[in-house]
Amino acid sequence: NITIKINGMEVSAPEGSTILEAARLAHVEIPTLCYLKDLNEIAACRMCTVKINGGKLAAACVYPINPGLEVWTNTPDLVEYRKKTLQLILSNHNRSCLSCVRSGNCELQTLCKELGVEDSDYYDGEKTPSCIDESAAHMVRDNSKCILCRRCSATCEKVQGIGVIGANERGFATIIGSAFDMGLGETSCVSCGQCIAVCPTGALYEKTCIDDVAAAIADPSKHVIVQTAPAVRAGLGEEFGYPIGTNVEGKMAAALRRIGFDKVFDTNFSADLTIMEEAHEFIERVQNGGTLPMITSCSPGWIKYCEHYFPDMTENLSSCKSPQQMFGAIAKSYYAEKMGLKPEDIVSVSVMPCTAKKFEIGRDNQAANGCPDVDYSMTTRELARMIKKFGIRFNELPDEEFDAPLGLGTGAAVIFGATGGVMEAALRTAVETLTGEELQKLDFTDVRGTEGIKEATYNVAGMDVKVAVASGLGNARELLNRVKSGEADYHFIEIMGCPGGCVNGGGQPQQPGSVRNTVDIRALRAKVLYDEDAAKTIRKSHENPAIKELYETYLGKPGSEKAHHLLHTTYVK
Ligand code: HC0
């Protein structure tokens, strides 16, 4: 360790730490805007400016500590300097804060409040020409609120390996955009929304459907049902002040009922259904010489990535629709028949931790009953907004249950929301199907955890089944390149578009840089799902009684013609 002085106090921090990191060890927060640990360490915004060794200025986010260093983080002139920096940012910023989607959790707004910037128009003058890009299915880019921190472009390029947004022009004219100023919808953006998750302001946000959903609910001729993805229950609470890693499943179901949905269902039901179809497809491929490795198909950002960047591997994708889409197809067929409703009178809404799901609902081959399987897909953040808009006092709600039958899910289903969860759920069913014996140990711990790429081999009925799991598209690319080069060889691969899986999806509540840099959000949210799985009595998809009934009374068996028509899809090259 190295000992330095921060504001006159001795602090000891590991060699290689920055001033920012050493200060945190002393519980002193130095403000940042552009900094994201290991990802965007560019000292561009200068908010973290501190004084060292008698008065020199340094950017705390990149300045490494050295023995005897003396640092002041909060002198009156530093506070004044930071206020000026904020005033300069504000002078080129669209300050329509009252109506901004980020009002209340904007990092720029928070800093202005903390530092007491009361004259936000102090340096007002010329503004960089900006644009609003609404060309993508899932999101809006509003450059008038962009502060050029580069957190979005660093995430797009370095985490996801895509790089469809970056800085265009130079100097005062600098603007974040795509090559040749194309709309995002015209690029090979995969709709993952990771750029939105890291944006500190309201420059990037999902295209919202909450007014359409509210209108459908108000229409007495419509039967409006909702499904919630596994990861939503692990994130939604953050919007209402609960600590990261709080399971709010019961309150969420209660809130949806109070919003006025006719039925409150769970994507966990169709996650179990996906396992039935996918495990069956996997066994078929193994036994009949089908294309291997088979790769999971539930993450629409990953699907789009595969189509754009690995078109020669679309044959490897499972033909299963995602649980979101399977849910919609079953809701408008089996459930509609049970309820005596016409598919077109059902409005099927999903709540997802994902922005790519907004794109997925409009894909070809996702309308099994002559109308879209899912009509509206909203993010976890949109649901929080809707709950607030409807005046529902979330924190005071009782815990309520989902409705039957499409609200019943197993432990295998709930872990879908964490990287490795789909693989584990599939293994629980595939192993029991292949061996005909009950599994002694349900936990496939090798595929758990937030590492980007995981591998394991399991001996199943005498065969060594090699599996791999990747999350985040940069990791997916690395894994697929290994497969293509022959360096690695697997039977079954799970890929999720977002690092850590859906718990860290682009539609989840946004945590500020100060939290993202210091807390493993993915692990805390994933723990919610694994704890829920461990506490369930039914932990295998094939034991879900509602799924058994669906096959017995309607679908026949996994892979049947009816199942194929409703639950499987195709891809484009
Ligand atoms: Fe996911 Fe899903 S697990 S993609 O991350 O498979 O979004 O949570 O809903 O569809 O179930 C997201 C989460 C889902 C789907 C499920 C899968």
Side-chain angles (χ1 to χ4, degrees):
N1 273 12
I2 290 180
T3 302
I4 63 168
K5 267 192 176 171
I6 295 183
N7 301 337
M9 247 177 1
E10 282 207 343
V11 179
S12 164
E15 198 175 339
S17 304
T18 60
I19 294 174
L20 184 72
E21 288 163 341
R24 283 216 175 105
L25 289 177
H27 308 289
V28 173
E29 185 71 24
I30 300 171
T32 58
L33 265 179
C34 67
Y35 174 73
L36 283 183
K37 189 167 168 49
D38 299 329
L39 183 61
N40 200 42
E41 302 183 341
I42 56 173
C45 74
R46 315 312 285 187
M47 280 309 297
C48 67
T49 300
V50 292
K51 277 189 179 175
I52 54 169
N53 299 344
K56 244 176 66 185
L57 297 180
C61 71
V62 290
Y63 198 98
I65 58 168
N66 52 65
L69 182 73
E70 288 197 57
V71 182
W72 288 268
T73 68
N74 236 352
T75 58
D77 52 345
L78 279 173
V79 172
E80 218 31 56
Y81 178 96
R82 289 186 193 131
K83 279 171 82 168
K84 291 249 170 297
T85 303
L86 288 170
Q87 284 165 331
L88 284 166
I89 293 173
L90 291 172
S91 74
N92 199 11
H93 186 78
N94 171 355
R95 300 187 300 265
S96 56
C97 302
L98 276 182
S99 58
C100 181
V101 69
R102 289 300 295 277
S103 191
N105 84 339
C106 165
E107 293 182 44
L108 178 61
Q109 189 184 46
T110 305
L111 284 176
C112 288
K113 199 171 155 202
E114 283 176 3
L115 290 166
V117 176
E118 279 146 15
D119 42 359
S120 58
D121 55 355
Y122 191 79
Y123 289 115
D124 258 4
E126 197 186 345
K127 288 212 164 38
T128 308
S130 58
C131 67
I132 294 188
D133 176 10
E134 296 180 292
S135 61
H138 65 297
M139 69 178 281
V140 179
R141 290 191 319 110
D142 178 356
N143 273 329
S144 69
K145 300 209 177 130
C146 173
I147 59 167
L148 299 174
C149 67
R150 269 79 162 178
R151 279 160 52 161
C152 57
S153 50
T155 303
C156 187
E157 188 183 330
K158 295 186 200 159
V159 177
Q160 299 297 63
I162 294 174
V164 287
I165 42 170
N168 288 340
E169 309 293 342
R170 289 294 176 269
F172 189 70
T174 305
I175 195 164
I176 302 294
S178 300
F180 310 111
D181 288 325
M182 280 191 296
L184 202 55
E186 300 164 66
T187 70
S188 48
C189 164
V190 302
S191 308
C192 72
Q194 284 296 307
C195 54
I196 305 176
V198 297
C199 178
T201 70
L204 305 175
Y205 53 93
E206 64 275 79
K207 266 191 184 163
T208 189
C209 60
I210 62 177
D211 290 342
D212 299 311
V213 173
I217 289 171
D219 180 346
S221 70
K222 296 293 180 196
H223 183 78
V224 189
I225 59 172
V226 63
Q227 56 165 314
T228 58
V232 177
R233 70 209 71 202
L236 180 66
E238 293 163 35
E239 294 277 354
F240 297 93
Y242 289 93
I244 301 169
T246 307
N247 189 340
V248 294
E249 181 180 295
K251 287 192 190 319
M252 176 179 72
L256 290 164
R257 214 159 265 135
R258 279 152 185 79
I259 286 174
F261 287 100
D262 292 303
K263 292 284 178 188
V264 179
F265 290 139
D266 196 356
T267 314
N268 287 8
F269 165 84
S270 48
D272 282 328
L273 182 58
T274 303
I275 289 301
M276 299 301 288
E277 292 296 316
E278 201 160 318
H280 174 264
E281 183 184 357
F282 177 63
I283 293 168
E284 280 264 312
R285 288 195 191 203
V286 170
Q287 293 177 339
N288 301 324
T291 307
L292 292 174
M294 187 174 94
I295 312 181
T296 56
S297 55
C298 32
S299 163
W302 147 242
I303 293 297
K304 204 170 173 200
Y305 180 81
C306 184
E307 290 174 332
H308 279 313
Y309 297 88
F310 287 88
D312 51 335
M313 292 192 82
T314 50
E315 301 278 306
N316 295 75
L317 292 172
S318 159
S319 64
C320 288
K321 285 181 181 173
S322 74
Q324 166 179 269
Q325 297 301 119
M326 283 200 186
F327 180 94
I330 291 297
K332 292 192 180 182
S333 56
Y334 170 73
Y335 172 75
E337 280 177 34
K338 257 183 180 267
M339 298 289 289
L341 293 162
K342 287 193 239 136
E344 56 273 23
D345 290 337
I346 294 179
V347 177
S348 159
V349 179
S350 73
V351 185
M352 295 280 140
C354 178
T355 49
K357 293 280 176 194
K358 288 179 184 285
F359 159 79
E360 185 181 41
I361 61 173
R363 282 182 63 105
D364 288 345
N365 264 309
Q366 303 283 354
N369 301 286
C371 48
D373 294 335
V374 176
D375 297 287
Y376 300 108
S377 181
M378 66 167 97
T379 61
T380 308
R381 294 188 293 265
E382 284 174 278
L383 174 59
R385 252 174 263 149
M386 203 164 180
I387 291 170
K388 289 171 192 168
K389 213 168 176 176
F390 274 66
I392 292 160
R393 297 171 73 95
F394 187 82
N395 305 51
E396 296 168 15
L397 290 174
D399 286 341
E400 290 183 5
E401 305 272 324
F402 291 106
D403 291 312
L406 308 195
L408 299 179
T410 69
V414 80
I415 59 174
F416 264 55
T419 167
V422 181
M423 177 60 71
E424 182 167 347
L427 285 167
R428 290 180 191 176
T429 290
V431 172
E432 288 204 355
T433 311
L434 281 167
T435 60
E437 288 166 21
E438 197 176 329
L439 267 174
Q440 294 307 311
K441 190 171 153 278
L442 286 182
D443 299 341
F444 291 81
T445 46
D446 299 334
V447 293
R448 293 187 183 182
T450 53
E451 259 166 276
I453 298 178
K454 295 166 279 188
E455 300 177 290
T457 304
Y458 297 104
N459 191 280
V460 184
M463 174 185 162
D464 276 339
V465 178
K466 291 191 219 162
V467 305
V469 172
S471 70
L473 295 169
N475 293 319
R477 177 164 66 184
E478 190 183 323
L479 182 69
L480 295 183
N481 281 337
R482 277 193 226 157
V483 170
K484 281 179 73 166
S485 70
E487 190 190 320
D489 156 42
Y490 307 104
H491 297 97
F492 193 9
I493 298 178
E494 176 204 297
I495 296 182
M496 284 292 177
C498 294
C502 295
V503 285
N504 187 36
Q508 289 284 61
Q510 286 138 316
Q511 288 293 345
S514 54
V515 172
R516 297 185 76 87
N517 291 327
T518 48
V519 173
D520 189 349
I521 300 170
R522 297 170 296 177
L524 291 175
R525 291 180 185 157
K527 186 172 181 304
V528 168
L529 305 184
Y530 286 109
D531 286 350
E532 184 167 327
D533 167 38
K536 289 246 188 205
T537 15
I538 306 181
R539 299 181 60 202
K540 292 175 267 187
S541 297
H542 53 285
E543 292 181 353
N544 180 333
I547 294 289
K548 282 194 199 168
E549 191 184 329
L550 172 66
Y551 277 106
E552 277 158 22
T553 63
Y554 194 71
L555 292 174
K557 41 185 194 358
S560 69
E561 208 183 311
K562 201 165 195 173
H564 254 278
H565 167 66
L566 291 169
L567 309 177
H568 291 253
T569 189
T570 51
Y571 306 105
V572 292
K573 286 200 179 186

